[in-house]
Amino acid sequence: MYFSLTLQPRPAMDVGSVPVELTTRPRANVAFCGLDLGKPEHQTVWEAFTESRGSEREFLRFTNYDLSHVFPQAKTKRTSYEAYVERGILKSNWLHKHTKLIPAVGVYFFDLDWDEGDFTTLKDQCARELLQFKKNLSGRDSRLCLVLVQRRASSPVNDNKLAAERAHDLTQACEIPLKSLFVLQYTEHLLGFVMRLETAIMDMAKSYYSGEYRRLSAQNQLLTKGSHQLLFIRHHFKMGTFQELKQDLTAAGKHYKQAYTFLAELRATDPNLLEVKTVAGIINYKICQLLFEQNSPLDAIHQLRRHIENFKTSVGPAALAFEHYAWLSRQNSLFGDLFDLAVRRGLVPIQTQHPGFYYLSAAQHALLRKKAAQQLCQAMTLFSRRQDAPDIPEPDPLIDAGSVPYYGQRPWRAAVAKGEAPDPQLEEIAIKALQYHEKHTNQSNIIIPLLSGAVSQFKKYRGPRHKRRQMVLLAEEYIANSEHDKALSILMHVLLDYRQERWPSLLTEILATALRAAYLAANPVHYLTLAIEYMSAWTDCSRELRDSLLNDVARILDGQIPTKPFADLEDKSSLWTDKLQTALKPDCPVVLDMDKLRSCIHCKAYFKSPTYSSDETIQLLVYVRSELNLDINFVSNFSVHFNHNVYDSQCAVTDPRVLGLVAGRTHTFNFTFPANQQHVGGQIKVVGVSMILGNQNWSGTAPKPLVMLKWSAASLGTQFFKLAWDPIPQKKTERESSFMELPHRLSATIAHRPARMSLKWSLEGPALCEELLPLKIELTNNESGDIGNVQATITTTSAGTNFTLDPNLAADRPSLTVDIPPIRSGSSQSVSVLVRSTEVGTKDVDLTIYYETSLNVESEGKNVLCKCHRHDVMKLSVERAFDLGGFLLSRKVSPISKIRAGEPFILAVDISSRSECGHGLELGECAVELGSNVKSIGNSNHVDSLPGSSQVLGVQLLKGETARDCYFLQADNPTETEVTSLGVFRYKWKRETYQHWNEGRFILPSPIVLTCPISLNLRTPPHARVRTPLPVQYSLLNRSDRIQEINLQMNSSEAFMFSGSKQLSLRIPPGKKEFLQYNLYPLVAGYVALPKLHLQLDPETTPVDLDSIVDEMLPAYIFVMPHGKGAKSPS
Amino acid sequence: MAVALALINKDNSPLYLRTVAEPANGEVAHKLLYMLHTSLDVVEEKVNSSVPGKNDSRDLCLGVLYSLDEYKLYGYVTNTKIKIVIIVELGVAVQFRDNDLRNWFNRLHQAYTEVISNPFYVAGEEIKSKKFEAVVNDIMRKQ
């Protein structure tokens, strides 16, 4: 006895596909009852269960039923399989029934609070309804539970006496165990309650499915291996499903694998092959799905490999071969989907293993299916008596296709017992019907999505070439599906890359496909582009086709439609007629970018010389070669484009007699033109070459299109000739050298014409530091004509070197431009500038002379104003002029390093000449700018340092000579720093022969100033005479601001006798002077030491000897003259 | 043994292409050519993503590029980025040792070196050499 089908007939399953129930992971089925979705509370509860079920929630599926809903009734279970006749493997309704219809748990919701007043009535109502619900589920082991929806929060049943009591009553009335009673409090913690309830429901569901599993496994024991092959498969599949519903994936996987093993052992025959394959597909799908779920993708891949391997050769009836390919295609695409899903869940695919490969494989099998279908079904002309669908046979053997009781069975002999022979006549009709259906299936709609899927996968996982390959397949399919424009745009896109990598055979083939697409889409621009490329020598295009393509190009240019490039193409003449009008406009030519093509016409540009001077004629050769077998005579214009477009018009050919391109010959266009004076100093570059195809001067009524072929610098240069395979034949003909060997040069420099001008520098000797040195340059015009607009720019990069024109202005500019009046031919002109350098060394002085002259340039036949320039560098060596030194001298003219405050001293400045300039250097005014603490004291010859008062004024020095300038100075009180800057010495100098005075300055030394308590002085006559009394006077000045106690002692001397105090104690008030008179009587002549004066300060307290001051301030010697002969000795 | 073989220059253009498919069987030849071409995806990936340290003593042999239902593809890259790709039928590949593969690649590399040592060979041109052809024939011969 069979359970009658209560299902709606479903659409027929595609070959090899899996039931929808399997595509998602099964969830334990739970039936809700008693929820009135009209009530807001119940609606909220329902939503809490069903909405936003994240991965953390239990795998449950909820359906809300009315109390009146009756669930499918259970069949009586078999106790023996002895009389069982196997009619199929998997029943097509079973999965739906167990995953969607029969609940594992029935949950009854009832609104009841513990403290409800009318509790007894409500309790009875609840018990009644629950009983009804239970009855609806009769015959099933579905677990049952009661959920009380409570509006008021209450304490747990255990702590609540009333609740405990009433709960007990309720369970008694409903005949359910206490543990099947749940409370759902409709509070803000609803979701928490729901989650806990779900866990409880899940536990119950698991126990239900375990029960079902055990029951089934017990039944499985009843089977015998020999006679129940199909049942074994079915039972294991079912057990697997129950385990999966129980969420035990490992156990489920084992059962599915077991089922697959049994299935693989099954002997498949033509009648049941489809069923076997379908079921194998289903089980394989489950296994792979679970393996991905358990994160073992490699096992899944192996499983698929084995699966495909098992059934690869089981094609089945030859008339239905397409079904086999459809099945293979489906297996791959399903696996691809599973893989993709796993990737989206976090699996990381690799470049050589990702879903794209399976989509590709699916697409390839789909293509095989299409091919098989074309072979098998093309001849299908069906007989029919029906009006609405005249091709369908009657009775339609496929009418029940959507409701076969077993997966994969043929509708016309569904559920037949094993071994029943099929009716050959019915078989034949049915096969024809299947073929008919196949014929009317749009295969492209299957293939295109698969290929698109593969393309996007390969794009994602770094397979650019795979992707392009599949795009080509995709384009081919679009062509098959008459979507020519789409196909063409895809092909034009991939061609860019294929041209880059230059695999000739692949490129040729894709070009041919694209040419087909362009013809079918009637796209004249692409058609011309592709034709020009396809005609090239490197393709394996046949000679006839080449000729016909060339003919087509000519026809399109003539405004006619082209012929079919390939004989098997559909005729698209009418479409072409329309498109030609719109796509090609006669007034603006269509531009084809030849850089991107591997075309049949090649160009090269070559400047004969890398540089042209501005008065020379530029010579440019452009080589053009066509590789076609036929001559081209529709070129109407050939022009070269430069970076300066003024030249463009000079390099254009429009004469049709010259422009015909002869097959296989290199044409040379020779252009000569003068350089434009504006571009002198820059470059002239060829940026492109263009060729206009079509008749430019057509004046007829029907407009004719124009096409411009454009080569940019890139393809005129080297890039094109770096091909792995040379598109140009290597064989040299007798007259011509290989095109490849022709030179190319795309840019040339337009140089200045060399100047005919001589320069003469005149400069006296080495320059001296800080000197304003006149620099004279003589320019001589050697041109044949006069020169004008002469300008000299003198410049230097050395720091500290500057120029000026006027000696009275500061020389502060490192460069200088001088305008020079025009110079007649053969005459000279000189320029003077002054240069000053503050640093010693060799400096480069650059001089550039710009001028214009009128010249007769031969190519232009008229006088052209030509700009020239002459550049020269002069090395200027700079030397130091003087060495200066400053010295301090005491009054005794002995060098000192320290000075005493208030005591006069002498500043001597030595100026020594070092220059070897050949002339003397004349010193001018010198002056000392004294520091604040120093003053000049007028004494003897010295006056205050006023201009003109210098002793060295007008002195001339040669190399090595030194002049000394002296100043008598006095330092005031010592400063805090002890060091006193004496100031700056300024001096003026010039070369004897020059006019300009140069200034120099020298920073004077900064000596230490010491305090001096006592100042000593001795007044003596300039010299003494032997035995003549010599009166001398010592003066002692107290410079300090306290009274000084001094002990004085005059030592005796052998050279003198003297009178005066020999030993004395003195007390000198501040600022006062004490005088001591002595009369010396010299005894010997000569330079004689004076008697030594010995002073001691503060003899009582801390005696300080003043010997050093005495030595410094008092003269130690005096010159004593001998007694003159005859001179009277003073008596 | 091998069913298709390609020598590819550093710009991924072929220097030498050969498939065992008979000329009449354009479809197989075509399929193999595409396979050779698309295998460059994997070659490029392997060449560019060489982990420093791992590939220190650079092994020129890249090993299996990938395997398909019927074929297995092997790759080799010289130091000058000349790539060699060999396609072997899966059935053959099973009884096929790593050493054989290295031996083939080394012989091809040697043959290529000899080709470019020829002063009459213009670098970058398609290889047309009897000696090279002989090595290829030996690798591709049926056993």
Side-chain angles (χ1 to χ4, degrees), chain A residues 1095-1099 1102-1107:
Chain A
L1095 293 177
Q1096 199 176 30
L1097 216 57
D1098 296 334
T1102 46
V1104 178
D1105 284 340
L1106 293 177
D1107 288 352

Side-chain angles (χ1 to χ4, degrees), chain A residues 991-1055:
Chain A
R991 294 191 195 211
E992 273 176 331
T993 46
Y994 289 172
Q995 293 300 316
H996 325 293
W997 287 100
N998 307 304
E999 276 192 32
R1001 69 200 280 276
F1002 170 67
I1003 295 172
L1004 293 169
S1006 299
I1008 295 171
V1009 181
L1010 302 172
T1011 50
C1012 179
I1014 287 252
S1015 177
L1016 303 172
N1017 206 358
L1018 172 66
R1019 275 179 66 184
T1020 61
H1023 58 82
R1025 207 175 273 274
V1026 177
R1027 286 193 296 278
T1028 308
L1030 171 70
V1032 297
Q1033 184 188 46
Y1034 287 94
S1035 61
L1036 285 79
L1037 173 66
N1038 181 1
R1039 282 188 189 278
S1040 67
D1041 44 8
R1042 65 185 180 97
I1043 297 168
Q1044 296 286 4
E1045 301 265 354
I1046 297 170
N1047 264 2
L1048 179 146
Q1049 188 183 350
M1050 184 62 93
N1051 288 355
S1052 57
S1053 164
E1054 287 180 358

Side-chain angles (χ1 to χ4, degrees), chain A residues 305 351-352 361 371 462-466 469 472 498 500-506 509-510 723-724 730, chain B residues 8-9 12-14 17 27 30 33-34 36-38 40-42 44-45 65-67 69 124-126:
Chain A
R305 282 242 166 104
Q351 193 194 27
T352 51
S361 187
K371 213 163 141 191
R462 298 184 304 276
R465 290 175 191 81
H466 277 102
R469 161 76 180 133
V472 172
Y498 277 104
Q500 284 287 316
E501 301 210 326
R502 301 181 291 244
W503 285 54
S505 45
L506 301 186
E509 189 240 327
I510 296 164
L723 292 180
Q730 282 277 297
Chain B
I8 299 153
N9 76 2
N12 292 336
S13 300
L17 286 175
E27 207 169 314
H30 185 218
L33 273 183
Y34 265 117
L36 288 170
H37 182 236
T38 47
L40 287 174
D41 282 347
V42 187
E44 263 190 356
E45 191 68 19
L65 298 177
Y66 58 98
S67 54
D69 293 347
E125 265 182 16
E126 194 180 347

Side-chain angles (χ1 to χ4, degrees), chain B residues 73-90:
Chain B
L73 284 83
Y74 300 91
Y76 183 90
V77 178
T78 72
N79 288 320
T80 51
K81 298 276 188 291
I82 303 288
K83 294 133 195 154
I84 309 175
V85 179
I86 292 179
I87 303 182
V88 179
E89 271 176 344
L90 210 55

Side-chain angles (χ1 to χ4, degrees), chain A residues 751-823:
Chain A
H752 284 274
R753 180 178 160 275
R756 293 186 192 146
M757 166 176 275
S758 55
L759 293 178
K760 203 173 129 205
W761 297 81
S762 52
L763 176 71
E764 274 187 47
L768 299 176
C769 216
E770 297 283 359
E771 177 192 27
L772 202 56
L773 180 72
L775 200 61
K776 198 167 148 191
I777 306 141
E778 192 180 81
L779 319 175
T780 309
N781 177 6
N782 299 334
E783 297 280 357
S784 55
D786 300 348
I787 61 173
N789 261 348
V790 190
Q791 212 172 43
T793 299
I794 186 160
T795 173
T796 178
T797 51
S798 316
T801 305
N802 292 304
F803 301 99
T804 187
L805 285 174
D806 185 349
N808 298 320
L809 293 179
D812 54 359
R813 283 184 289 170
S815 79
L816 199 65
T817 302
V818 189
D819 287 323
I820 299 162
I823 310 171

